[in-house]
Every structure is written in structure tokens, then in C-alpha cells.
Amino acid sequence: MTIKTPIYMDNSATTQCDPRVVDKMVRYFAEDFGNAASRNHAFGWQAESAVDQAREEVALLLGAHPKEIVFTSGSTEANNLAIKGVAEMYASKGRHLISCVTEHKAVIDPLKHLEQQGYEVTWLEVDGMGRIDLEALRGAIRPDTILVSLMAANNETGTAHPIAEIGALCKERGVLFHTDATQVVGRMPIDVQSQGIDLLSLSAHKFYGPKGVGALYVRRKSPRVRLAPLMDGGGHERGMRSGTLNVPGIAGMGEAARLAREEFDQNVAKVQALRDRLEQGILAGLPDAVVNGDTEHRLPHLSNISFPYVEGESMIMGIKDVAVSSGSACTSASLEPSYVLKSLGLGDELAHSSIRFSVGRFNTEEEVDFVVDLVVREVTRLREMSPLWEMVQEGIDLSKVKWTHH
Amino acid sequence: MAYSDKVLDHYNNPRNVGALDKSAKDVGTGVVGAPECGDVMKLQIQVDDSGRIVDAKFKTYGCGSAIASSSLATEWLKGATIDEAMQIKNTQIVEELALPPVKIHCSVLAEDAIKAAIDDYRTKQGAEAPAES
């Protein structure tokens, strides 16, 4: 079988839209193009019915009620709406929020924005596998705490937080719990009831849907969560998100949600088998490569691997036939290694040498085997060229070398 | 980011990768950079009695431009005299490899590595002279 290159293995960045999703969307552009808010004619009714159907599918995927789904432009907007919306609405109850240093920027930056406005945020630290300490979370909750925001699983390392335990703890202490589940939807089980989730962000393009559409789950009962909107306008989405609905995108997201639910078991089994094959193949060929994150509680499709003594950008260059993400970007004299990997305690050097592989259900075993061979060959070649590898072979402790910083 | 053809050529077919005997009197070794900055270059020269560089080797941990800069440096060093080698400037490397502004530090590192290797060679020769007299 011939392999078509470049091979896409960056499914945590985005996924290929499923052709069935595209089919579902097409008619809402030029045929049933109505505005879902038009109540007086069939064009509007058609659009509204498409949105209702999608809302039901997204709710089913999360174990929620359709009225608890607010469509947004994606997870970034959903995270902003959840965090800023709760902060404004519950300001009279308190102005303290809790989150974690490894969150995505779309959670960290809205919280930093609140800090500038006088809110206080407790940033939980993580251990070497990217895990939070539940007791530290328990200790951080105060009478004036209004929200805990912790991601379901990390986008760089794949480490999954114990969502059900966090949800139970928040419930016990009467604090709202928001989770950014962007990476988890379609990859790990989600149930807002049993996991005690009050607010949940998701994005369609991470589960084979279109870009530019996502949703926020907002709990309606016990407790009823209220949010101040980010945007004022026509009062769409029960007043929480004004703006004409992106009907084709929402229809596509609904179809992607249906496929993610109905084909969940086979999809997870497939990506996990491919990821394990990839990881085991690489580790067999390069025994001192290091897998980052919590390998026990982890996204099934992702593997973040550090290749000591080989610099990340040169590696990406060497394996250009596969599309992956690097833990650093050498775009300036001062390199910025990943803050997520650094918070796990990885030195800058290992963070610079890390690659995130994230497989998807459109990948094949042949592609995985091709990538394993390519990675092993290129890392071996670059190591032969690496003065650090040479020093280690000579028994030199790199941490004791006096480097000339530049 | 797009790399120039010359960077790609040096990256894919690096010249003079390897190591010379760093304890030899006629070999100068320069190691510059730091792992946490993402670049470490090791450059070695072997010099004959007339002061001409007869061999040069490198090993580099760093991005493609850093690898290409050091590979190019070894090409220029081979056959040059020490005095000629001292004249090599990072701007010549930038020009030859068409490095973009964000990669200029790679060429600076290569120039530093050349100077460090020559320094090491000169120190060894200087240390050797009194021992012989």
C-alpha cells in the first residue's frame, strides 16, 4: 500500500471534517438558508428545526437536556462565556475562582482578565504527570469561591483530571464547576449528571465537525446556573449568546455529535490502538525517549514524547512527512518552551525536544508504521550529529557542564 | 516557516559531521551555546605546522539553521589558514544561507564556535611551547 504524505497526526489541533458532516451541512447554505430566528415563514422554520435537531444531538452526547446547550463560535468563546459570565453574575456572592496552571490559554487569559478587574484566582499546581492534588483543590475552596474551572484533559500532554471527583467536591462545597472538555468529546466518556458538571465547553472541529462552531453546556437544575452574556443583542440562545445562529455549522456539529455518540466505542478503540502502536514502536526504537504526562489517565489518541539530545525544530524538519506539534518554537533568539511541559517540571531542554503526536480515526496502521520508522531514523541521525548525545556517551553529566549562554 | 534551499541542503546532507581527538595538540575544540537555549555547537579544527586548517568537524544540537550554519563553517574552515579563519563573519554565513532575521543568532553562534576552536588551539600551542624549551 502506498502512503500519501504528508500524514496528518495533529488531531488535537483540529480534525478532518467527516464527509457525512459535510453532506449534512451543505443544504443549509443555499437551499434551506433561513434565519433560525425567523418565526413567520417556512425558511425560518426549516433552519430552526435543523438547530433543534443539532441541539438534541449535542445534549445526548453530554447526557444533558437540549435547553442546556448554548451554541457559540467554539470553545474559546464558550470558556470566556462560562468564566466571565459566572464572575459577573455571581460577583455579589464572591470574587474568588480556582483553576490550574496547565489550562489552555482560552481559560487562563479570561481569568487573568478577571484578576485585573479585582477578582482573585487560585492557580493549582500539577505534579510531574500533570495531575492536580484533590486535597489542594479542597483546601483552596473558600466561602467566597464562585467557580472552579478545570479542563477534562490537557491538550498538550493528554493528562485527564478526575472530573467526577472534582464535580462531587464542588457540589459538596456549593461551588460551580466548569470544565473545558474540548479535547475529550468523542474520546472519553462524558456525562454531566454523574460527573457533577455545571458548565462544559466543547468545539465541533475537535470531533470531526466544522470549525467556527461550538457550545457551552449550562446546567438548568440543581443548581440553575445563570450567566451574564458577553454580547448584547437579539437575545438568542435564551439571552446568553446574541447573534444570528450559524445554522450550517450547528447542523454539522449536531451530525458530528451523533457520530461521536453512536460510533464512540469503535472510534476510541481505533485511535487508542493506533496511538499505542505508535508509542510502543517509537519507544522500542529509541529506548531513552520519554513519554510525558499521565500514561494511565490520558486521552486515548495522544502521545507527547521527549527525545533527549535532539532539538525539537530540527526534528520537525526531519520528519516533515508527518504533521505534528512541537513543544517549542525556535522563532526568536529567546526560545519559548511550552508552559504546560515546564509546569510538569520538565527542563527547558526536554521541553524543546518534545513532540505531540495525536492520531485520528482517519489514520491507518500503515501510516503509523511509516511514522515510527521515520521518527526512529531521523532521531538517530540527529543524535549522531548532537554534541549533547556525544557527551552523554562519554559519561559527561550535562547538568554539570558550564555552558556559554548567549 | 520556509527554509532556503541551501539550509535544506546542509540539513539533509551535513558536511563534516564527526569528532576529532580533542586531546591532540594540533586540534582545537570550541563548544558554544546551552541546551536550555535550544542550541549547542561543537566545532573542531585540526591545524598543520604551517598554520593551515587541514580538517574540520562539527556536531550541533539546534534547529535546521544552526545545523546548516555549522556545516557551512566547517566547509569554509577546511584549507583556510588560522588568520583567514579569524576573518569569517557571521554576516557572510547569513548571506550564504539566506537566513531570516529570527535565525541570525545561529550564524553568530557559528562565528563564536570558530573563534572558540581557534582560541583552544592557540592555548594548547602556547602551553606546549614552554614544555619543549
Side-chain angles (χ1 to χ4, degrees):
Chain A
M1 183 185 164
T2 54
I3 304 259
K4 194 169 154 265
T5 58
I7 295 166
Y8 191 75
M9 280 200 187
D10 203 11
N11 287 272
S12 273
T14 194
T15 57
Q16 179 188 335
C17 213
D18 190 295
R20 292 169 290 181
V21 169
V22 178
D23 281 350
K24 183 86 180 182
M25 292 172 70
V26 169
R27 59 182 271 212
Y28 298 104
F29 285 100
E31 201 177 326
D32 296 329
F33 58 84
N35 186 329
S38 297
R39 294 287 157 81
N40 305 323
H41 48 67
F43 296 90
W45 303 333
Q46 284 281 10
E48 191 185 20
S49 141
V51 170
D52 285 348
Q53 197 192 338
R55 201 184 297 282
E56 200 149 310
E57 283 300 343
V58 173
L60 272 175
L61 180 64
L62 306 175
H65 188 279
K67 286 191 175 159
E68 297 177 311
I69 305 301
V70 174
F71 286 112
T72 67
S73 61
S75 279
T76 294
E77 187 191 334
N79 288 333
N80 272 269
L81 177 57
I83 291 164
K84 294 175 181 167
V86 163
E88 187 179 333
M89 189 58 86
Y90 293 83
S92 60
K93 184 187 176 236
R95 294 165 77 85
H96 177 240
L97 303 90
I98 299 170
S99 189
C100 176
V101 293
T102 55
E103 290 291 317
H104 191 275
K105 287 285 182 196
V107 164
I108 290 179
D109 285 356
L111 287 167
K112 290 205 162 148
H113 179 83
L114 290 177
E115 281 183 319
Q116 285 170 0
Q117 299 196 328
Y119 287 83
E120 198 183 329
V121 179
T122 298
W123 297 97
L124 299 174
E125 300 288 334
V126 293
D127 67 9
M129 292 199 272
R131 301 176 302 186
I132 57 155
D133 177 359
L134 279 174
E135 287 314 304
L137 171 60
R138 184 186 295 277
I141 298 177
R142 316 189 309 211
D144 64 337
T145 306
I146 50 174
L147 182 72
V148 169
S149 179
L150 291 168
M151 68 202 326
N154 187 269
N155 51 301
E156 286 191 41
T157 60
T159 297
H161 287 326
I163 290 305
E165 282 86 342
I166 296 167
L169 176 55
C170 290
K171 205 106 297 171
E172 177 195 319
R173 304 291 295 271
V175 177
L176 294 179
F177 173 38
H178 165 248
T179 189
D180 175 359
T182 308
Q183 293 290 340
V184 160
V185 174
R187 293 171 177 149
M188 296 176 92
I190 295 176
D191 179 65
V192 292
Q193 296 309 335
S194 66
Q195 292 173 319
I197 297 163
D198 299 314
L199 295 140
L200 179 147
S201 307
L202 70 160
S203 194
H205 76 97
K206 304 285 192 191
F207 55 98
Y208 310 96
K211 290 164 188 62
V213 60
L216 179 66
Y217 157 78
V218 185
R219 179 175 286 279
R220 204 167 59 125
K221 269 191 217 151
S222 59
R224 171 164 181 257
V225 179
R226 295 180 310 133
L227 294 178
L230 295 173
M231 294 181 292
D232 299 309
H236 307 74
E237 299 296 275
R238 296 187 298 127
M240 284 186 266
R241 205 277 188 178
S242 286
T244 297
L245 293 177
N246 168 9
V247 178
I250 290 168
M253 182 174 186
E255 181 68 357
R258 183 182 72 81
L259 297 171
R261 180 174 51 85
E262 290 179 355
E263 299 173 2
F264 181 85
D265 290 343
Q266 71 198 66
N267 288 344
V268 171
K270 178 172 183 188
V271 294
Q272 183 151 2
L274 290 176
R275 189 272 312 269
D276 290 347
R277 187 182 180 98
L278 177 82
E279 193 170 275
Q280 284 155 16
I282 288 174
L283 292 176
L286 301 164
D288 53 3
V290 183
V291 178
N292 298 311
D294 182 350
T295 51
E296 198 180 330
H297 303 285
R298 183 168 54 148
L299 288 168
H301 75 297
L302 184 152
S303 181
N304 185 307
I305 305 180
S306 286
F307 299 93
Y309 326 120
V310 174
E311 192 272 336
E313 188 182 323
S314 66
M315 211 191 128
I316 295 251
M317 205 168 154
I319 57 169
K320 63 179 187 315
D321 283 341
V322 54
V324 291
S325 284
S326 150
S328 85
C330 175
T331 51
S332 66
S334 68
L335 286 122
E336 276 301 325
S338 147
Y339 68 91
V340 172
L341 294 177
K342 284 184 77 172
S343 64
L344 265 63
L346 255 75
D348 284 3
E349 181 203 333
L350 272 183
H352 281 312
S353 305
S354 76
I355 304 277
R356 179 187 72 178
F357 300 89
S358 49
V359 301
R361 62 173 147 95
F362 294 114
N363 285 124
T364 63
E365 279 192 0
E366 289 75 17
E367 287 178 335
V368 165
D369 293 345
F370 177 90
V371 171
V372 168
D373 283 349
L374 180 66
V375 168
V376 171
R377 199 169 60 235
E378 272 305 303
V379 171
T380 304
R381 181 180 90 93
L382 289 167
R383 265 185 194 167
E384 292 306 315
M385 229 190 276
S386 167
L388 305 181
W389 176 246
E390 183 184 78
M391 289 175 187
V392 169
Q393 300 311 300
E394 290 169 357
I396 296 169
D397 180 350
L398 294 181
S399 66
K400 301 230 161 60
V401 175
K402 200 164 169 294
W403 301 105
T404 57
H405 290 259
H406 59 100
Chain B
M1 183 170 40
Y3 290 95
S4 70
D5 290 344
K6 280 182 178 163
V7 169
L8 286 173
D9 180 39
H10 278 282
Y11 172 82
N12 290 319
N13 309 290
R15 284 47 143 188
N16 308 309
V17 173
L20 300 169
D21 177 6
K22 65 180 174 224
S23 60
K25 282 270 161 55
D26 60 345
V27 170
T29 302
V31 180
V32 294
E36 56 267 40
C37 302
D39 296 295
V40 176
M41 272 182 204
K42 190 189 85 163
L43 207 144
Q44 295 184 298
I45 51 171
Q46 187 178 5
V47 186
D48 70 10
D49 294 339
S50 68
R52 192 167 289 280
I53 297 167
V54 292
D55 202 1
K57 297 278 184 201
F58 85 94
K59 286 199 177 186
T60 290
Y61 164 88
C63 66
S65 300
I67 289 170
S69 295
S70 35
S71 169
L72 176 67
T74 58
E75 269 195 323
W76 284 353
L77 287 171
K78 280 172 94 166
T81 63
I82 289 281
D83 291 338
E84 286 163 352
M86 283 301 285
Q87 300 305 312
I88 296 174
K89 293 273 172 294
N90 82 292
T91 47
Q92 296 167 281
I93 296 171
V94 170
E95 199 175 326
E96 175 68 16
L97 296 176
L99 295 180
V102 295
K103 297 295 186 186
I104 286 174
H105 69 283
C106 299
S107 69
V108 174
L109 208 59
E111 185 187 323
D112 289 351
I114 294 171
K115 299 218 153 61
I118 293 172
D119 274 358
D120 181 55
Y121 169 74
R122 283 180 170 162
T123 306
K124 277 184 181 170
Q125 294 299 310
E128 184 187 39
E132 280 178 351
S133 63

